[in-house]
Amino acid sequence: MQHDDRPLVARLLIGDDNAFRSFFDEYFDRLYRFAMSRTSGRTDLAEEAAQRTLCRALRALQQFRGEASLFTWLAQICRHELADL
């Protein structure tokens, strides 16, 4: 069964502070590990990429359609952030 991320996204879109904490707690470490695996162990780049990904995702959250998991969407954003870094 696929986790439904849409309730969290809906809460984020209305500015729910608890949703933001949940979002950060759920996804920062996962994105950091994702980025670490692509930066040859560069912790500074991995942390920067994870932070930039979460910021960029929050600005573009209305574009999330829920066709893939939220992490899959975030990972794609992170790939772009890594390329930019």
Side-chain angles (χ1 to χ4, degrees):
M1 179 166 80
Q2 183 177 358
H3 178 71
D4 187 1
D5 300 302
R6 290 174 292 188
L8 175 62
V9 170
R11 290 175 43 223
L12 286 165
L13 286 170
I14 62 168
D16 182 322
D17 288 338
N18 290 327
F20 175 77
R21 282 189 284 284
S22 294
F23 175 68
F24 184 86
D25 290 346
E26 173 76 20
Y27 294 105
F28 181 82
D29 288 342
R30 291 176 67 188
L31 286 168
Y32 177 78
R33 288 190 305 271
F34 177 84
M36 277 292 286
S37 71
R38 289 156 176 78
T39 60
S40 303
R42 294 271 317 267
T43 58
D44 58 331
L45 283 179
E47 185 173 348
E48 180 72 13
Q51 289 175 356
R52 288 173 61 164
T53 297
L54 292 177
C55 290
R56 185 172 170 187
L58 287 171
R59 287 191 304 272
L61 202 54
Q62 69 281 356
Q63 297 173 17
F64 177 72
R65 296 185 306 264
E67 295 170 356
S69 73
L70 185 55
F71 183 74
T72 299
W73 186 69
L74 292 169
Q76 185 61 31
I77 294 171
C78 191
R79 284 184 191 96
H80 291 287
E81 290 299 331
L82 287 166
D84 290 347
L85 289 170

